[in-house]
mmCIF file of all heavy atoms in Angstrom:
data_model
loop_
_atom_site.group_PDB
_atom_site.id
_atom_site.type_symbol
_atom_site.label_atom_id
_atom_site.label_comp_id
_atom_site.label_asym_id
_atom_site.label_seq_id
_atom_site.Cartn_x
_atom_site.Cartn_y
_atom_site.Cartn_z
ATOM 1 N N PRO X 436 -0.327 33.079 -10.732
ATOM 2 C CA PRO X 436 -1.280 33.760 -9.933
ATOM 3 C C PRO X 436 -2.729 33.231 -10.100
ATOM 4 O O PRO X 436 -3.155 33.027 -11.199
ATOM 5 C CB PRO X 436 -1.137 35.247 -10.388
ATOM 6 C CG PRO X 436 -0.615 35.046 -11.742
ATOM 7 C CD PRO X 436 0.217 33.768 -11.917
ATOM 8 N N VAL X 437 -3.411 33.004 -9.019
ATOM 9 C CA VAL X 437 -4.821 32.724 -9.020
ATOM 10 C C VAL X 437 -5.551 33.870 -8.398
ATOM 11 O O VAL X 437 -5.387 34.298 -7.270
ATOM 12 C CB VAL X 437 -5.157 31.392 -8.182
ATOM 13 C CG1 VAL X 437 -6.560 31.147 -8.138
ATOM 14 C CG2 VAL X 437 -4.342 30.230 -8.769
ATOM 15 N N ILE X 438 -6.422 34.462 -9.174
ATOM 16 C CA ILE X 438 -7.098 35.632 -8.778
ATOM 17 C C ILE X 438 -8.562 35.461 -8.579
ATOM 18 O O ILE X 438 -9.202 34.813 -9.424
ATOM 19 C CB ILE X 438 -6.921 36.759 -9.916
ATOM 20 C CG1 ILE X 438 -5.352 37.049 -10.121
ATOM 21 C CG2 ILE X 438 -7.564 38.114 -9.573
ATOM 22 C CD1 ILE X 438 -5.061 37.866 -11.241
ATOM 23 N N VAL X 439 -9.079 35.897 -7.474
ATOM 24 C CA VAL X 439 -10.486 35.868 -7.097
ATOM 25 C C VAL X 439 -11.046 37.274 -6.930
ATOM 26 O O VAL X 439 -10.458 38.009 -6.074
ATOM 27 C CB VAL X 439 -10.666 35.004 -5.816
ATOM 28 C CG1 VAL X 439 -12.214 34.945 -5.480
ATOM 29 C CG2 VAL X 439 -10.219 33.622 -6.037
ATOM 30 N N ILE X 440 -12.088 37.640 -7.689
ATOM 31 C CA ILE X 440 -12.648 39.001 -7.585
ATOM 32 C C ILE X 440 -14.018 38.771 -6.948
ATOM 33 O O ILE X 440 -14.951 38.148 -7.494
ATOM 34 C CB ILE X 440 -12.784 39.652 -8.967
ATOM 35 C CG1 ILE X 440 -11.360 39.662 -9.617
ATOM 36 C CG2 ILE X 440 -13.403 40.968 -8.855
ATOM 37 C CD1 ILE X 440 -11.350 40.255 -11.019
ATOM 38 N N LEU X 441 -14.271 39.503 -5.778
ATOM 39 C CA LEU X 441 -15.500 39.434 -5.132
ATOM 40 C C LEU X 441 -16.216 40.863 -5.184
ATOM 41 O O LEU X 441 -15.614 41.847 -4.785
ATOM 42 C CB LEU X 441 -15.320 39.076 -3.681
ATOM 43 C CG LEU X 441 -14.579 37.737 -3.326
ATOM 44 C CD1 LEU X 441 -14.457 37.589 -1.841
ATOM 45 C CD2 LEU X 441 -15.367 36.546 -3.969
ATOM 46 N N THR X 442 -17.389 40.822 -5.824
ATOM 47 C CA THR X 442 -18.164 42.162 -5.931
ATOM 48 C C THR X 442 -19.427 41.983 -5.211
ATOM 49 O O THR X 442 -20.207 41.092 -5.475
ATOM 50 C CB THR X 442 -18.345 42.442 -7.409
ATOM 51 O OG1 THR X 442 -17.154 42.410 -8.080
ATOM 52 C CG2 THR X 442 -19.149 43.741 -7.512
ATOM 53 N N CYS X 443 -19.645 42.769 -4.137
ATOM 54 C CA CYS X 443 -20.732 42.722 -3.303
ATOM 55 C C CYS X 443 -21.579 44.022 -3.442
ATOM 56 O O CYS X 443 -21.115 45.101 -3.350
ATOM 57 C CB CYS X 443 -20.332 42.525 -1.809
ATOM 58 S SG CYS X 443 -21.724 42.377 -0.701
ATOM 59 N N GLU X 444 -22.906 43.752 -3.798
ATOM 60 C CA GLU X 444 -23.757 44.960 -3.949
ATOM 61 C C GLU X 444 -24.247 45.511 -2.705
ATOM 62 O O GLU X 444 -24.577 46.739 -2.597
ATOM 63 C CB GLU X 444 -24.976 44.480 -4.822
ATOM 64 C CG GLU X 444 -24.610 44.016 -6.243
ATOM 65 C CD GLU X 444 -25.850 43.494 -7.004
ATOM 66 O OE1 GLU X 444 -26.894 43.543 -6.391
ATOM 67 O OE2 GLU X 444 -25.674 43.184 -8.151
ATOM 68 N N GLU X 445 -24.331 44.632 -1.546
ATOM 69 C CA GLU X 445 -24.763 45.107 -0.324
ATOM 70 C C GLU X 445 -23.769 44.761 0.776
ATOM 71 O O GLU X 445 -23.854 43.623 1.316
ATOM 72 C CB GLU X 445 -26.143 44.574 0.044
ATOM 73 C CG GLU X 445 -27.311 45.048 -0.843
ATOM 74 C CD GLU X 445 -28.610 44.462 -0.477
ATOM 75 O OE1 GLU X 445 -28.756 44.041 0.698
ATOM 76 O OE2 GLU X 445 -29.512 44.436 -1.235
ATOM 77 N N PRO X 446 -22.652 45.465 0.946
ATOM 78 C CA PRO X 446 -21.535 45.053 1.798
ATOM 79 C C PRO X 446 -22.049 44.842 3.227
ATOM 80 O O PRO X 446 -21.529 44.060 4.038
ATOM 81 C CB PRO X 446 -20.524 46.172 1.709
ATOM 82 C CG PRO X 446 -20.927 46.918 0.439
ATOM 83 C CD PRO X 446 -22.355 46.732 0.202
ATOM 84 N N ASN X 447 -23.075 45.586 3.652
ATOM 85 C CA ASN X 447 -23.508 45.457 5.102
ATOM 86 C C ASN X 447 -24.199 44.088 5.387
ATOM 87 O O ASN X 447 -24.412 43.824 6.515
ATOM 88 C CB ASN X 447 -24.494 46.572 5.350
ATOM 89 C CG ASN X 447 -23.842 47.957 5.287
ATOM 90 O OD1 ASN X 447 -22.615 48.041 5.646
ATOM 91 N ND2 ASN X 447 -24.607 48.976 4.953
ATOM 92 N N PHE X 448 -24.613 43.424 4.256
ATOM 93 C CA PHE X 448 -25.290 42.075 4.482
ATOM 94 C C PHE X 448 -24.249 41.049 4.800
ATOM 95 O O PHE X 448 -24.617 40.002 5.363
ATOM 96 C CB PHE X 448 -26.120 41.761 3.278
ATOM 97 C CG PHE X 448 -27.017 40.570 3.443
ATOM 98 C CD1 PHE X 448 -28.149 40.739 4.148
ATOM 99 C CD2 PHE X 448 -26.602 39.305 2.971
ATOM 100 C CE1 PHE X 448 -28.982 39.559 4.255
ATOM 101 C CE2 PHE X 448 -27.392 38.252 3.105
ATOM 102 C CZ PHE X 448 -28.599 38.335 3.713
ATOM 103 N N ILE X 449 -23.019 41.156 4.343
ATOM 104 C CA ILE X 449 -21.915 40.190 4.461
ATOM 105 C C ILE X 449 -21.075 40.503 5.748
ATOM 106 O O ILE X 449 -20.602 41.672 5.887
ATOM 107 C CB ILE X 449 -21.071 40.036 3.225
ATOM 108 C CG1 ILE X 449 -21.940 39.810 2.102
ATOM 109 C CG2 ILE X 449 -20.033 39.046 3.423
ATOM 110 C CD1 ILE X 449 -22.640 38.421 2.061
ATOM 111 N N LYS X 450 -20.971 39.569 6.597
ATOM 112 C CA LYS X 450 -20.126 39.775 7.780
ATOM 113 C C LYS X 450 -18.652 39.459 7.659
ATOM 114 O O LYS X 450 -17.785 40.223 7.914
ATOM 115 C CB LYS X 450 -20.689 38.970 8.983
ATOM 116 C CG LYS X 450 -20.005 39.191 10.297
ATOM 117 C CD LYS X 450 -20.590 38.361 11.462
ATOM 118 C CE LYS X 450 -19.854 38.549 12.729
ATOM 119 N NZ LYS X 450 -20.346 37.740 13.874
ATOM 120 N N SER X 451 -18.398 38.289 6.958
ATOM 121 C CA SER X 451 -17.009 37.936 6.739
ATOM 122 C C SER X 451 -16.982 36.826 5.633
ATOM 123 O O SER X 451 -18.052 36.205 5.354
ATOM 124 C CB SER X 451 -16.400 37.263 7.974
ATOM 125 O OG SER X 451 -16.954 36.067 8.398
ATOM 126 N N VAL X 452 -15.899 36.707 4.991
ATOM 127 C CA VAL X 452 -15.666 35.739 3.934
ATOM 128 C C VAL X 452 -14.324 35.094 4.112
ATOM 129 O O VAL X 452 -13.270 35.781 4.339
ATOM 130 C CB VAL X 452 -15.695 36.390 2.494
ATOM 131 C CG1 VAL X 452 -15.498 35.304 1.458
ATOM 132 C CG2 VAL X 452 -16.998 37.015 2.260
ATOM 133 N N GLN X 453 -14.350 33.708 4.078
ATOM 134 C CA GLN X 453 -13.068 32.990 4.144
ATOM 135 C C GLN X 453 -12.842 32.239 2.786
ATOM 136 O O GLN X 453 -13.752 31.491 2.342
ATOM 137 C CB GLN X 453 -13.086 32.015 5.317
ATOM 138 C CG GLN X 453 -11.903 31.118 5.356
ATOM 139 C CD GLN X 453 -11.888 30.182 6.495
ATOM 140 O OE1 GLN X 453 -11.997 30.536 7.660
ATOM 141 N NE2 GLN X 453 -11.969 28.863 6.274
#
Side-chain angles (χ1 to χ4, degrees):
V437 178
I438 301 170
V439 178
I440 302 175
L441 303 178
T442 304
C443 185
E444 299 177 357
E445 298 181 18
N447 295 331
F448 189 80
I449 303 297
K450 183 179 179 181
S451 63
V452 177
Q453 175 178 298

